[in-house]
């Protein structure tokens, strides 16, 4: 059971906009920055969104993040086949004094 | 360019101790604010954070695994070592190391390619 809660799956057709939610608590998302990681099949996770809504260099602006209270979301617009991957949210948890991850969301491009 | 690479045994027996090494380049763990974390991922399952060591030797562990984990660093070799005692088949996973920043807990970038560890007799 992951500390952060994500839907196990999401899907969309090419060109569509999809969102993935991430829910936590006051000790993690409510207090600290939220991060999103993209894990393409068979590869290591890659930082996708930093500090709630900042895109690292090289990440397309089709990807955006937002946070409100103890929840956050990742939006992907103009969906492309290469976006098919697992997406994880993560944050520091002040009570656990460690990083907590969501259970991951498998995005399928139909 | 920052890179990290995990190394260690591919197969360990139940009850044995696992020792993994993360060898990195492009940054130094003697630099203020730098950290390295270990994360694992059982086949087909989610990511699980294990431990973190900071530039000043502060250490943090997963609460559920802290009795079994030890993290250490060798700054001169640019290496971080994770040991996990009393290995069990449920510990079968790909183990990753990643660079972090002090005070920015969830920031992990970049990650190593990972090393698959299978626990079986």
């Amino acid at each position: 059971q992951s500390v952060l809660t994500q839907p196990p799956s999401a899907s969309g057709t090419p060109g569509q906009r999809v969102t993935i939610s991430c829910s936590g608590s006051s000790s993690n998302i409510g207090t600290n920055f939220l991060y999103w990681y993209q894990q393409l099949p068979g590869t290591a996770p890659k930082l996708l969104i930093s500090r709630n809504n900042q895109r690292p260099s090289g990440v397309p602006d089709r990807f955006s993040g937002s946070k409100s209270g103890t929840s956050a979301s990742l939006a992907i617009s103009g969906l492309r086949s290469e976006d098919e991957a697992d997406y994880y949210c993560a944050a520091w948890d002040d009570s656990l004094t460690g990083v907590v991850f969501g259970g991951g969301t498998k995005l399928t491009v139909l | 360019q920052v890179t990290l690479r995990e190394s260690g045994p591919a197969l360990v027996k139940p009850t044995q101790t696992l020792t993994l090494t993360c060898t990195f380049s492009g940054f130094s763990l003697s630099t203020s604010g730098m950290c390295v974390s270990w994360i694992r991922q059982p086949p087909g399952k989610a990511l699980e954070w294990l431990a973190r060591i900071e530039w000043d030797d502060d250490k943090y562990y997963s609460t559920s695994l802290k009795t079994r984990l030890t993290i250490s660093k060798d700054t001169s070799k640019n290496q971080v070592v994770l040991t996990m005692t009393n290995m069990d088949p449920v510990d079968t996973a790909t183990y990753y190391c990643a660079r972090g920043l002090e005070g920015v807990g969830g920031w992990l970038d970049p990650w190593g390619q990972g090393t698959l560890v299978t626990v079986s007799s």
Side-chain angles (χ1 to χ4, degrees):
Chain A
Q1 193 81 351
S2 300
V3 174
L4 304 183
T5 301
Q6 297 179 236
S9 63
S11 64
T13 56
Q16 266 191 331
R17 181 178 186 270
V18 297
T19 61
I20 298 171
S21 62
C22 176
S23 177
S25 68
S26 58
S27 63
N28 43 66
I29 298 179
T31 309
N32 298 299
F33 289 122
L34 193 282
Y35 299 82
W36 289 96
Y37 295 89
Q38 178 192 57
Q39 187 175 31
L40 297 169
T43 69
K46 181 189 97 168
L47 180 64
L48 187 68
I49 296 291
S50 181
R51 300 193 184 207
N52 304 333
N53 55 20
Q54 297 179 15
R55 286 185 305 278
S57 174
V59 174
D61 59 7
R62 301 185 297 104
F63 294 90
S64 62
S66 63
K67 187 184 100 166
S68 178
T70 59
S71 295
S73 63
L74 171 70
I76 309 171
S77 60
L79 199 61
R80 305 176 68 157
S81 58
E82 57 259 41
D83 299 333
E84 196 161 275
D86 292 325
Y87 293 85
Y88 293 91
C89 57
W92 183 263
D93 190 294
D94 289 341
S95 296
L96 298 174
T97 57
V99 180
V100 291
F101 285 96
T105 299
K106 184 176 183 62
L107 174 64
T108 301
V109 181
L110 302 169
Chain B
Q1 181 190 7
V2 174
T3 63
L4 303 96
R5 186 183 76 251
E6 306 86 352
S7 59
L11 179 67
V12 297
K13 290 180 167 50
T15 75
Q16 285 188 335
T17 293
L18 170 69
T19 299
L20 295 172
T21 301
C22 175
T23 303
F24 55 87
S25 63
F27 70 99
S28 172
L29 257 183
S30 62
T31 299
S32 176
M34 286 295 151
C35 314
V36 170
S37 276
W38 283 94
I39 308 100
R40 71 178 179 179
Q41 183 175 36
K45 296 189 177 182
L47 300 168
E48 178 184 22
W49 178 83
L50 300 176
R52 177 169 109 174
I53 189 164
E54 300 184 343
W55 66 282
D56 55 0
D57 215 36
D58 279 349
K59 299 164 187 174
Y60 298 88
Y61 295 99
S62 161
T63 53
S64 61
L65 292 168
K66 66 184 306 179
T67 60
R68 299 174 54 205
L69 296 173
T70 302
I71 192 170
S72 62
K73 62 181 173 69
D74 186 330
T75 304
S76 65
K77 293 183 179 179
N78 279 352
Q79 290 181 334
V80 170
V81 174
L82 181 76
T83 61
M84 180 180 290
T85 61
N86 194 23
M87 293 293 285
D88 183 272
V90 300
D91 296 313
T92 294
T94 297
Y95 287 76
Y96 297 99
C97 61
R99 182 183 64 166
L101 285 177
E102 185 181 26
V104 194
W107 188 89
L108 299 163
D109 184 51
W111 296 52
Q113 63 185 18
T115 185
L116 175 62
V117 177
T118 300
V119 184
S120 175
S121 55

